[in-house]
């Protein structure tokens, strides 16, 4: 996105790929993409730069009005983040962790069913991995429950590192050996 600035004021916001009219001149849809930096400067066009947008998982996010920054000669667009209800955020995070854990374990549930039906054992590597997935989920849920604000929940969720299955470990080892 671009903006046309005159006397330090934003006069027009221009979306790339959309035709626009400025100062009595019709500009085609591809003008922003094909014009040179000098062409843009000649009509007072500058870049619109968006700040980082907080996660809508944890915050109610509102986009602030664009503001011309004369020092950087660009238009800045920032966001206001209002934390969502902590209890709801924790519940949603816990549900997501449990759902992810389930979806990771589900493809290997057949191993456990087969072991029960045939009175055999599940390979130790798979048992260890499955327990590791459950432990990871439990640790993550405990971190979420212990968080005192939505930033803490976000940090707990982003810190999750799910363990690799024995098949993934073997494939990576084979790839590394062949490299």
């Amino acid at each position: 996105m671009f903006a046309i600035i005159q006397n330090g004021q934003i006069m027009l916001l221009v979306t790339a790929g959309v035709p626009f009219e400025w100062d009595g001149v019709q500009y085609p849809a591809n003008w922003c993409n094909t014009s040179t930096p000098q062409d843009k400067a000649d009509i007072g066009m500058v870049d619109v730069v968006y700040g980082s947008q907080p996660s809508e998982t944890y915050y109610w996010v509102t986009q602030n009005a664009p503001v011309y920054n004369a020092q950087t000669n660009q238009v800045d667009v920032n966001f206001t983040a209002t934390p969502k209800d902590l209890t709801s955020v924790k519940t949603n995070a816990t549900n997501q962790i449990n759902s992810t854990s389930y979806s990771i374990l589900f493809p290997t549930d057949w191993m456990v069913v087969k072991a029960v039906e045939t009175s055999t054992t599940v390979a130790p590597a798979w048992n260890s991995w499955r327990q590791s997935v459950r432990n990871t989920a439990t640790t993550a849920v405990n971190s979420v429950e212990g968080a005192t604000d939505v930033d803490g929940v976000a940090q707990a969720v982003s810190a999750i590192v799910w363990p690799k299955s024995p098949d993934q470990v073997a494939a990576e080892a084979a790839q590394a050996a062949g490299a």
Side-chain angles (χ1 to χ4, degrees), residues 40-109:
K40 290 179 181 128
D42 289 346
I43 66 167
M45 184 176 274
V46 300
D47 290 326
V48 174
V49 178
Y50 288 83
S52 62
Q53 183 173 345
S55 172
E56 292 184 2
T57 301
Y58 307 106
Y59 298 95
W60 298 109
V61 179
T62 306
Q63 180 177 307
N64 299 337
V67 175
Y68 177 61
N69 183 333
Q71 290 179 329
T72 60
N73 194 35
Q74 68 187 25
V75 171
D76 296 325
V77 178
N78 292 304
F79 300 89
T80 298
T82 304
K84 291 185 176 180
D85 174 68
L86 182 58
T87 302
S88 296
V89 169
K90 285 181 174 185
T91 298
N92 291 340
T94 298
N95 290 343
Q96 183 58 50
I97 292 164
N98 289 334
S99 176
T100 301
S101 174
Y102 172 82
S103 66
I104 291 170
L105 291 173
F106 180 74
T108 61
D109 283 350

Side-chain angles (χ1 to χ4, degrees), residues 126-139:
W126 286 101
N127 264 340
S128 294
W129 171 75
R130 288 175 59 84
Q131 185 59 50
S132 180
V133 170
R134 289 189 292 274
N135 291 345
T136 299
T138 299
T139 299

